[in-house]
Amino acid sequence: MRGLPPALTELRGLQQLELVDDELPGLPAAIAELTRLRSLRLELFHLASLPRSFAALTRLRELYIDSHHLARLPDNLVALQELRSLTLLLRHVYLHDWERPAHFDPRFEQSPEALFRLLSALPHLSSLTLGEPGSCGWPEKILIESPPSSRACRRSRS
């Protein structure tokens, strides 16, 4: 199994990191040692979860995740109080086989309500992109379900 070289975490002054790898299975817990990171771009097809130690990246301002296997954003993401921009792109997979074409939805299981509740705890979040990357690089779809508006919630309680 492939992984990031341990020497990467010795780059203590690193402020921007981009990891693009279709085969990398995930991030090591040691990523938390890069405490000066302000921008992190993860284009990791097999990224299923973020390590618990991810919450130690408290200076992070930009987080970009592009994955098929990501199941949810962890609750400890609220520790990233400086986060200003979040891009979450969830890939569909299409196998173009003449005899048996196949389609696999992203594995994201977190409800939109739970996701938006989590993100509402980030006071500086000012840019949010959710969807599936399109052929031109722009997201084509937003989450199929949308959270109820605060007005709708108030009406239903009355």
Side-chain angles (χ1 to χ4, degrees):
M1 201 183 265
R2 293 172 34 135
L4 290 175
L8 176 67
T9 59
E10 294 174 19
L11 301 174
R12 306 263 189 235
L14 202 60
Q15 291 186 20
Q16 181 177 343
L17 177 61
E18 295 186 23
L19 297 172
V20 180
D21 191 325
D22 284 343
E23 296 179 18
L24 193 66
L27 290 176
I31 192 82
E33 294 177 29
L34 300 175
T35 57
R36 292 193 179 181
L37 271 183
R38 291 185 175 252
S39 177
L40 181 59
R41 183 178 181 102
L42 303 171
E43 292 185 41
L44 305 175
F45 181 81
H46 293 288
L47 180 68
S49 65
L50 297 172
R52 287 180 183 228
S53 62
F54 196 80
L57 300 176
T58 57
R59 293 184 182 180
L60 203 61
R61 291 182 172 208
E62 296 177 38
L63 178 58
Y64 178 103
I65 301 173
D66 182 345
S67 175
H68 169 71
H69 292 285
L70 188 68
R72 64 182 306 109
L73 291 180
D75 291 338
N76 66 0
L77 191 79
V78 299
L80 306 181
Q81 292 290 296
E82 293 298 315
L83 195 65
R84 285 160 168 67
S85 174
L86 173 65
T87 299
L88 180 59
L89 302 179
L90 305 167
R91 289 191 178 272
H92 285 253
V93 175
Y94 301 95
L95 298 179
H96 300 285
D97 183 324
W98 289 104
E99 292 179 22
R100 286 192 220 159
H103 168 254
F104 300 96
D105 288 330
R107 296 185 178 176
F108 200 73
E109 300 168 352
Q110 196 166 21
S111 73
E113 290 81 10
L115 175 64
F116 293 128
R117 195 172 26 255
L118 173 68
L119 297 179
S120 70
L122 300 171
H124 298 290
L125 189 65
S126 60
S127 174
L128 177 62
T129 303
L130 302 171
E132 177 188 357
S135 59
C136 298
W138 293 101
E140 289 183 349
K141 299 177 188 173
I142 303 297
L143 297 171
I144 294 170
E145 300 176 48
S146 60
S149 71
S150 56
R151 274 190 215 134
C153 290
R154 274 189 239 126
R155 274 190 227 131
S156 65
R157 290 182 195 145
S158 307

